[in-house]
Amino acid sequence: EPGVNLLWNPGFEQWHNPGAMCPSWDIVSGAFGTELKREESTVHGGSYALQFIVASGGERNVTSSYVPVEPLKAYRVSAWIRGTNSGDTLEVKVLNFKKDRSSSSTATTSINTSTLGSAGAWIQRTGVITTASDTRFIKLDFYSDDASGTLYMDDCIVSLEKPSFQAITPATSAGGTGNAIAKDGLRDVFFTSDSHNYGGLFDRATG
């Protein structure tokens, strides 16, 4: 159902062994204990968060476990991130996979590649992706190669998004020609642009 979090262990609360990475999350690059570790004092919610120790430079990269999804559906992806330097970057991406776990036709979808913009505050980075026709699984991917400061991540979400769109009402119908839209009556509406189209259900060319 829309709004239900599909991730397991999204807030790192299932983390009984502080000497190893928590269940359902995998380290791609970086050493646990020196570059990645369980954080207990700086958390967004609950008892734990994941800390990226970036003072020594180098790559730190973790991914979630596979999340089953449906093709051609809209999904809301978000995570809370925090850093000690406003110029630091914690990239948030979605990795897309086919049924056999190979990369789908849309291999990667970016959610956040900008700098934090604020130091010492939890910031939510969120976006909506529409899965490709051959996508059956996704993973969340977090990456940083900053050379200073400390980064944290917590309370991640992958949830089905309700289909919707938002557009600006045109002055005329039929692609800019014809009569203005009347109060009553049946008429195809040709929007020249839309600000979002989750689910891809609205066709500007046909109205």
Side-chain angles (χ1 to χ4, degrees):
E1 294 296 327
V4 175
N5 195 353
L6 303 177
L7 275 177
W8 188 70
N9 202 15
F12 310 101
E13 296 308 296
Q14 302 299 318
W15 202 336
H16 306 300
N17 180 6
M21 192 62 187
C22 64
S24 84
W25 293 87
D26 298 311
I27 297 175
V28 179
S29 59
F32 189 84
T34 57
E35 298 173 319
L36 298 159
K37 73 172 188 176
R38 188 179 78 175
E39 172 63 25
E40 300 181 22
S41 59
T42 304
V43 299
H44 178 258
S47 300
Y48 306 122
L50 176 62
Q51 181 184 113
F52 281 57
I53 306 168
V54 297
S56 60
E59 295 183 356
R60 290 132 190 92
N61 186 196
V62 298
T63 61
S64 70
S65 56
Y66 288 101
V67 179
V69 294
E70 297 182 57
L72 304 177
K73 295 283 188 179
Y75 289 87
R76 171 76 59 178
V77 177
S78 69
W80 287 88
I81 58 180
R82 174 174 174 157
T84 55
N85 298 318
S86 61
D88 287 341
T89 301
L90 180 57
E91 296 183 7
V92 184
K93 298 180 180 179
V94 177
L95 308 180
N96 306 286
F97 301 92
K98 299 178 182 178
K99 184 167 58 175
D100 63 359
R101 268 65 163 186
S102 63
S103 294
S104 73
S105 55
T106 303
T108 305
T109 309
S110 177
I111 300 300
N112 178 71
T113 57
S114 62
T115 59
L116 298 177
S118 178
W122 285 101
I123 303 167
Q124 188 180 35
R125 293 292 190 242
T126 185
V128 175
I129 67 167
T130 299
T131 52
S133 60
D134 58 350
T135 299
R136 297 296 184 275
F137 298 94
I138 64 174
K139 283 185 174 185
L140 290 192
D141 181 273
F142 296 87
Y143 172 87
S144 178
D145 60 357
D146 288 334
S148 63
T150 302
L151 296 164
Y152 307 90
M153 53 180 284
D154 202 358
D155 293 334
C156 309
I157 295 174
V158 173
S159 62
L160 187 65
E161 184 81 357
K162 292 182 178 179
S164 66
F165 79 95
Q166 182 179 12
I168 298 172
T169 305
T172 59
S173 61
T177 61
N179 299 321
I181 298 174
K183 176 177 177 295
D184 297 310
L186 193 61
R187 188 185 301 273
D188 286 333
V189 179
F190 294 78
F191 294 103
T192 57
S193 63
D194 50 59
S195 61
H196 76 262
N197 189 12
Y198 304 153
L201 300 181
F202 180 74
D203 189 335
R204 293 197 305 268
T206 65

PDB file of all heavy atoms in Angstrom, residues 27-43:
ATOM      1  N   ILE A  27      28.474  -3.322   3.112  1.00  0.00           N
ATOM      2  CA  ILE A  27      29.565  -2.387   2.846  1.00  0.00           C
ATOM      3  C   ILE A  27      30.151  -2.694   1.467  1.00  0.00           C
ATOM      4  O   ILE A  27      30.595  -3.816   1.212  1.00  0.00           O
ATOM      5  CB  ILE A  27      30.664  -2.494   3.919  1.00  0.00           C
ATOM      6  CG1 ILE A  27      30.103  -2.098   5.290  1.00  0.00           C
ATOM      7  CG2 ILE A  27      31.855  -1.600   3.553  1.00  0.00           C
ATOM      8  CD1 ILE A  27      31.091  -2.292   6.433  1.00  0.00           C
ATOM      9  N   VAL A  28      30.151  -1.692   0.598  1.00  0.00           N
ATOM     10  CA  VAL A  28      30.779  -1.817  -0.723  1.00  0.00           C
ATOM     11  C   VAL A  28      32.229  -1.377  -0.662  1.00  0.00           C
ATOM     12  O   VAL A  28      33.115  -2.018  -1.213  1.00  0.00           O
ATOM     13  CB  VAL A  28      30.005  -0.998  -1.776  1.00  0.00           C
ATOM     14  CG1 VAL A  28      30.664  -1.108  -3.146  1.00  0.00           C
ATOM     15  CG2 VAL A  28      28.552  -1.446  -1.846  1.00  0.00           C
ATOM     16  N   SER A  29      32.491  -0.268   0.018  1.00  0.00           N
ATOM     17  CA  SER A  29      33.864   0.204   0.230  1.00  0.00           C
ATOM     18  C   SER A  29      33.932   0.926   1.567  1.00  0.00           C
ATOM     19  O   SER A  29      32.958   1.536   2.014  1.00  0.00           O
ATOM     20  CB  SER A  29      34.309   1.128  -0.904  1.00  0.00           C
ATOM     21  OG  SER A  29      33.460   2.244  -1.013  1.00  0.00           O
ATOM     22  N   GLY A  30      35.096   0.846   2.206  1.00  0.00           N
ATOM     23  CA  GLY A  30      35.283   1.410   3.534  1.00  0.00           C
ATOM     24  C   GLY A  30      35.413   0.319   4.574  1.00  0.00           C
ATOM     25  O   GLY A  30      34.815  -0.748   4.439  1.00  0.00           O
ATOM     26  N   ALA A  31      36.192   0.578   5.599  1.00  0.00           N
ATOM     27  CA  ALA A  31      36.463  -0.413   6.646  1.00  0.00           C
ATOM     28  C   ALA A  31      35.560  -0.158   7.845  1.00  0.00           C
ATOM     29  O   ALA A  31      35.511   0.971   8.366  1.00  0.00           O
ATOM     30  CB  ALA A  31      37.923  -0.363   7.064  1.00  0.00           C
ATOM     31  N   PHE A  32      34.839  -1.196   8.273  1.00  0.00           N
ATOM     32  CA  PHE A  32      33.993  -1.041   9.446  1.00  0.00           C
ATOM     33  C   PHE A  32      34.862  -0.883  10.690  1.00  0.00           C
ATOM     34  O   PHE A  32      35.837  -1.591  10.884  1.00  0.00           O
ATOM     35  CB  PHE A  32      33.053  -2.225   9.623  1.00  0.00           C
ATOM     36  CG  PHE A  32      32.021  -1.992  10.693  1.00  0.00           C
ATOM     37  CD1 PHE A  32      30.860  -1.312  10.394  1.00  0.00           C
ATOM     38  CD2 PHE A  32      32.234  -2.405  12.002  1.00  0.00           C
ATOM     39  CE1 PHE A  32      29.908  -1.059  11.374  1.00  0.00           C
ATOM     40  CE2 PHE A  32      31.302  -2.153  12.988  1.00  0.00           C
ATOM     41  CZ  PHE A  32      30.135  -1.475  12.666  1.00  0.00           C
ATOM     42  N   GLY A  33      34.460   0.048  11.550  1.00  0.00           N
ATOM     43  CA  GLY A  33      35.192   0.305  12.782  1.00  0.00           C
ATOM     44  C   GLY A  33      36.104   1.509  12.697  1.00  0.00           C
ATOM     45  O   GLY A  33      36.297   2.214  13.687  1.00  0.00           O
ATOM     46  N   THR A  34      36.673   1.759  11.504  1.00  0.00           N
ATOM     47  CA  THR A  34      37.528   2.932  11.319  1.00  0.00           C
ATOM     48  C   THR A  34      36.920   3.958  10.389  1.00  0.00           C
ATOM     49  O   THR A  34      37.140   5.162  10.544  1.00  0.00           O
ATOM     50  CB  THR A  34      38.909   2.517  10.768  1.00  0.00           C
ATOM     51  OG1 THR A  34      38.724   1.795   9.535  1.00  0.00           O
ATOM     52  CG2 THR A  34      39.648   1.629  11.758  1.00  0.00           C
ATOM     53  N   GLU A  35      36.152   3.514   9.405  1.00  0.00           N
ATOM     54  CA  GLU A  35      35.525   4.435   8.452  1.00  0.00           C
ATOM     55  C   GLU A  35      33.999   4.372   8.478  1.00  0.00           C
ATOM     56  O   GLU A  35      33.323   5.302   8.032  1.00  0.00           O
ATOM     57  CB  GLU A  35      36.029   4.132   7.040  1.00  0.00           C
ATOM     58  CG  GLU A  35      37.531   4.340   6.889  1.00  0.00           C
ATOM     59  CD  GLU A  35      38.057   3.872   5.547  1.00  0.00           C
ATOM     60  OE1 GLU A  35      37.631   2.803   5.071  1.00  0.00           O
ATOM     61  OE2 GLU A  35      38.893   4.587   4.975  1.00  0.00           O
ATOM     62  N   LEU A  36      33.466   3.312   8.993  1.00  0.00           N
ATOM     63  CA  LEU A  36      32.021   3.139   9.152  1.00  0.00           C
ATOM     64  C   LEU A  36      31.771   2.523  10.519  1.00  0.00           C
ATOM     65  O   LEU A  36      32.490   1.605  10.919  1.00  0.00           O
ATOM     66  CB  LEU A  36      31.456   2.211   8.058  1.00  0.00           C
ATOM     67  CG  LEU A  36      31.605   2.673   6.615  1.00  0.00           C
ATOM     68  CD1 LEU A  36      31.499   1.480   5.672  1.00  0.00           C
ATOM     69  CD2 LEU A  36      30.549   3.705   6.274  1.00  0.00           C
ATOM     70  N   LYS A  37      30.761   3.010  11.230  1.00  0.00           N
ATOM     71  CA  LYS A  37      30.493   2.420  12.541  1.00  0.00           C
ATOM     72  C   LYS A  37      29.075   2.735  12.999  1.00  0.00           C
ATOM     73  O   LYS A  37      28.388   3.602  12.443  1.00  0.00           O
ATOM     74  CB  LYS A  37      31.506   2.900  13.576  1.00  0.00           C
ATOM     75  CG  LYS A  37      31.331   4.332  14.031  1.00  0.00           C
ATOM     76  CD  LYS A  37      32.269   4.642  15.203  1.00  0.00           C
ATOM     77  CE  LYS A  37      31.982   6.001  15.817  1.00  0.00           C
ATOM     78  NZ  LYS A  37      32.827   6.256  17.011  1.00  0.00           N
ATOM     79  N   ARG A  38      28.637   2.024  14.039  1.00  0.00           N
ATOM     80  CA  ARG A  38      27.353   2.278  14.665  1.00  0.00           C
ATOM     81  C   ARG A  38      27.439   3.536  15.508  1.00  0.00           C
ATOM     82  O   ARG A  38      28.363   3.687  16.307  1.00  0.00           O
ATOM     83  CB  ARG A  38      26.945   1.081  15.534  1.00  0.00           C
ATOM     84  CG  ARG A  38      25.525   1.187  16.074  1.00  0.00           C
ATOM     85  CD  ARG A  38      25.161  -0.037  16.903  1.00  0.00           C
ATOM     86  NE  ARG A  38      25.733   0.006  18.244  1.00  0.00           N
ATOM     87  CZ  ARG A  38      25.497  -0.894  19.189  1.00  0.00           C
ATOM     88  NH1 ARG A  38      24.730  -1.952  18.920  1.00  0.00           N
ATOM     89  NH2 ARG A  38      26.043  -0.791  20.385  1.00  0.00           N
ATOM     90  N   GLU A  39      26.474   4.440  15.337  1.00  0.00           N
ATOM     91  CA  GLU A  39      26.433   5.686  16.092  1.00  0.00           C
ATOM     92  C   GLU A  39      25.271   5.653  17.075  1.00  0.00           C
ATOM     93  O   GLU A  39      24.150   5.276  16.724  1.00  0.00           O
ATOM     94  CB  GLU A  39      26.280   6.872  15.131  1.00  0.00           C
ATOM     95  CG  GLU A  39      26.034   8.203  15.795  1.00  0.00           C
ATOM     96  CD  GLU A  39      27.184   8.668  16.692  1.00  0.00           C
ATOM     97  OE1 GLU A  39      28.335   8.237  16.463  1.00  0.00           O
ATOM     98  OE2 GLU A  39      26.916   9.448  17.624  1.00  0.00           O
ATOM     99  N   GLU A  40      25.524   6.048  18.329  1.00  0.00           N
ATOM    100  CA  GLU A  40      24.509   5.986  19.367  1.00  0.00           C
ATOM    101  C   GLU A  40      24.081   7.353  19.898  1.00  0.00           C
ATOM    102  O   GLU A  40      22.979   7.481  20.438  1.00  0.00           O
ATOM    103  CB  GLU A  40      25.014   5.129  20.531  1.00  0.00           C
ATOM    104  CG  GLU A  40      25.346   3.697  20.138  1.00  0.00           C
ATOM    105  CD  GLU A  40      25.815   2.862  21.320  1.00  0.00           C
ATOM    106  OE1 GLU A  40      25.501   3.239  22.458  1.00  0.00           O
ATOM    107  OE2 GLU A  40      26.496   1.847  21.092  1.00  0.00           O
ATOM    108  N   SER A  41      24.929   8.367  19.769  1.00  0.00           N
ATOM    109  CA  SER A  41      24.592   9.669  20.358  1.00  0.00           C
ATOM    110  C   SER A  41      23.969  10.633  19.348  1.00  0.00           C
ATOM    111  O   SER A  41      23.095  11.424  19.702  1.00  0.00           O
ATOM    112  CB  SER A  41      25.846  10.309  20.974  1.00  0.00           C
ATOM    113  OG  SER A  41      26.859  10.480  19.996  1.00  0.00           O
ATOM    114  N   THR A  42      24.404  10.582  18.098  1.00  0.00           N
ATOM    115  CA  THR A  42      23.858  11.456  17.064  1.00  0.00           C
ATOM    116  C   THR A  42      22.944  10.640  16.180  1.00  0.00           C
ATOM    117  O   THR A  42      23.386   9.980  15.239  1.00  0.00           O
ATOM    118  CB  THR A  42      24.985  12.095  16.223  1.00  0.00           C
ATOM    119  OG1 THR A  42      25.882  12.800  17.090  1.00  0.00           O
ATOM    120  CG2 THR A  42      24.422  13.071  15.199  1.00  0.00           C
ATOM    121  N   VAL A  43      21.648  10.644  16.505  1.00  0.00           N
ATOM    122  CA  VAL A  43      20.667   9.846  15.761  1.00  0.00           C
ATOM    123  C   VAL A  43      19.487  10.730  15.397  1.00  0.00           C
ATOM    124  O   VAL A  43      19.189  11.714  16.077  1.00  0.00           O
ATOM    125  CB  VAL A  43      20.183   8.619  16.567  1.00  0.00           C
ATOM    126  CG1 VAL A  43      21.348   7.697  16.892  1.00  0.00           C
ATOM    127  CG2 VAL A  43      19.469   9.059  17.837  1.00  0.00           C
TER     128      VAL A  43
END
